[in-house]
Amino acid sequence: MTTRRAARTSTTSAEDKAQARRELAERLHNSITDQVAALVDSASWRAYLDHMAAFHSYSTGRVAVFDPANSVTQEWRSAA
């Protein structure tokens, strides 16, 4: 027993779909812009930045020194 699918007929043209995508992208862009503006002006954003400023920043090479799984670092340690 086989089933047949009816052919889909699209009542929306490609240009209509493209226009809908452009409108959606514009709405999303506006929403993101508004939310970022609200975040940047908030006290919680300032508190987050102050908190992150308290952490040390290490270069990639310095982080590798602390990584016990890094075999290159292990060779360097044993040679020293």
Side-chain angles (χ1 to χ4, degrees), residues 1 3 11 17 24 28 39 42-44 46 53 63-64 76 78-80:
M1 182 165 147
T3 58
T11 58
K17 290 179 183 178
L24 175 61
L28 291 172
L39 173 68
S42 70
S44 61
R46 187 67 207 167
V63 171
W76 173 75
S78 61

Side-chain angles (χ1 to χ4, degrees), residues 11-77:
T11 58
T12 309
S13 71
E15 183 57 40
D16 291 340
K17 290 179 183 178
Q19 180 63 28
R21 284 192 304 271
R22 284 191 291 272
E23 291 171 0
L24 175 61
E26 184 177 350
R27 285 195 311 271
L28 291 172
H29 181 267
N30 291 336
S31 172
I32 291 169
T33 303
D34 294 343
Q35 291 176 20
V36 168
L39 173 68
V40 171
D41 292 337
S42 70
S44 61
W45 177 249
R46 187 67 207 167
Y48 170 76
L49 291 177
D50 290 340
H51 178 74
M52 293 307 291
F55 289 99
H56 298 286
S57 60
Y58 295 104
S59 67
T60 331
R62 295 288 295 175
V63 171
V65 171
F66 301 119
D67 182 13
N70 189 340
S71 61
V72 174
T73 307
Q74 293 299 328
E75 292 170 10
W76 173 75
R77 285 184 187 165

